[in-house]
Amino acid sequence: SKSMGELPANAAALAAAVAAAGARVQANLRTAVLFEAAVARGEARVATGGALAATTGVHTGRSPKDKFIVRDDTTRDRVWWQQNQPMERTSFDLLLGDFLKHAAGRELYAQDLFAGADPAHRVCVRVFTELAWHSQFIRNLLIRPEIADLATFHPRLTIVDLPSFKADPRKHGVRSETVIAVDFTRGMVLIGGTGYAGEIKKSVFTYLNFVLPDERVMPMHCSANVGKDGNTAVFFGLSGTGKTTLSADPARALLGDDEHGWSDKGIFNFEGGCYAKTIRLSKSSEPE
């Protein structure tokens, strides 16, 4: 594994280091190829109607108690530590080195995507995943660049998601074998020990929450739609309280169902897809 002095210094360097570690990276595969790979590798099944259905193992939701933020000069006085768990840089670097070692020889999938529909504030994100269906998930959720844009794509945020990686609480200073470690300064997120793809999505939102206020953009956990008169409505609420449902109005255009930014020019979606929950839907309770 790499020594401390050779660890990546930023998001782009981490992206290069994953390939240099010996991983076999397949970049920017399209839906049909990822769909076929997920089924062929036994990651998912084809449900009635043609949807790709996958189970996520022990974790059927996010693991907030296993999420850590690197505490350094950038974050020390800007993060609300009462509600966020700190990780020292030495612990993150140990974790990063072990992630790169674990990636060696594995087949990984990479997607180059935009977070933010407003070109003035969008962030280039490169996501490496161990599972093909995770790659398809985030390809659906974020905004896909045009092919011409990929030639000059330079990641500001790099996410490495390895569900088979098990963290060592004693070595890495974490709570369990599951870890979500965020380094705002270097633009890196490491996700291990969980098959729940929503950790990838929420890690992007976490990063935008930190960087966009400096650009005079207020990040919001809300849904939003717009009427024919140009007036925008935003719907706030905890998960499961109806944001997606309320924003899906047949008389109004949907901006997005979960994450938005409010700049001096208006409201823009952070994502390119919809994360609607379908569990326990019924014709009687949700006729529309």
Side-chain angles (χ1 to χ4, degrees):
S1 65
K2 296 177 178 291
S3 68
M4 291 294 190
E6 297 173 321
L7 288 174
N10 52 46
L14 174 56
V18 172
R24 301 186 301 277
V25 179
Q26 299 196 61
N28 297 314
L29 297 183
R30 297 188 177 185
T31 296
V33 180
L34 291 168
F35 190 106
E36 185 175 282
V39 174
R41 288 157 54 105
E43 298 174 7
R45 296 176 295 167
V46 182
T48 302
L52 193 65
T55 56
T56 60
V58 174
H59 296 285
T60 57
R62 291 189 298 112
S63 303
K65 293 182 179 180
D66 293 307
K67 188 171 185 176
F68 298 85
I69 295 173
V70 173
R71 181 166 53 191
D72 57 14
D73 291 342
T74 302
T75 60
R76 187 169 288 107
D77 298 323
R78 294 177 61 196
V79 168
W80 185 28
W81 295 111
Q82 286 179 293
Q83 294 295 321
N84 291 285
Q85 299 180 96
M87 172 180 279
E88 299 308 315
R89 179 164 299 285
T90 52
S91 296
F92 184 91
D93 285 347
L94 281 171
L95 188 68
L96 176 56
D98 287 344
F99 256 72
L100 292 173
K101 185 177 180 180
H102 191 78
R106 295 180 184 275
E107 183 175 22
L108 302 181
Y109 300 89
Q111 292 288 335
D112 290 337
L113 302 161
F114 292 140
D118 185 344
H121 300 290
R122 71 188 181 193
V123 171
C124 294
V125 184
R126 181 165 294 164
V127 183
F128 292 94
T129 65
E130 187 176 6
L131 300 177
W133 80 264
H134 278 193
S135 191
Q136 176 60 20
F137 170 91
I138 200 62
R139 175 179 163 83
N140 276 347
L141 260 291
L142 295 185
I143 299 167
R144 294 188 290 274
E146 298 294 330
I147 293 177
D149 294 329
L150 294 175
T152 56
F153 191 92
H154 188 78
R156 183 176 170 187
L157 173 66
T158 294
I159 300 172
V160 183
D161 184 285
L162 305 176
S164 67
F165 179 89
K166 305 298 182 186
D168 183 339
R170 289 185 297 178
K171 179 179 181 181
H172 302 123
V174 296
R175 187 184 73 99
S176 71
E177 292 183 339
T178 300
V179 63
I180 303 95
V182 182
D183 185 337
F184 286 127
T185 301
R186 294 187 289 187
M188 303 177 186
V189 178
L190 307 175
I191 303 171
T194 174
Y196 184 69
E199 295 287 8
I200 308 171
K201 161 194 160 72
K202 193 59 71 173
S203 293
V204 175
F205 188 42
T206 299
Y207 183 79
L208 295 177
N209 281 339
F210 186 78
V211 301
L212 288 184
D214 282 347
E215 300 178 20
R216 297 184 59 79
V217 173
M218 181 170 74
M220 303 180 294
H221 180 207
C222 68
S223 62
N225 60 25
V226 60
K228 294 179 181 179
D229 58 1
N231 287 329
T232 302
V234 295
F235 303 88
F236 291 93
L238 298 176
S239 296
T241 56
K243 295 186 298 299
T244 298
T245 302
L246 288 170
S247 61
D249 188 321
R252 297 171 65 84
L254 176 70
L255 292 181
D257 81 316
D258 197 46
E259 302 174 2
H260 294 81
W262 190 345
S263 73
D264 57 2
K265 294 182 179 179
I267 308 294
F268 64 96
N269 194 1
F270 287 166
E271 301 179 316
C274 181
Y275 198 52
K277 297 177 178 68
T278 57
I279 190 169
R280 287 187 289 275
L281 289 181
S282 68
K283 290 183 178 180
S284 59
S285 298
E286 297 87 16
E288 291 183 343

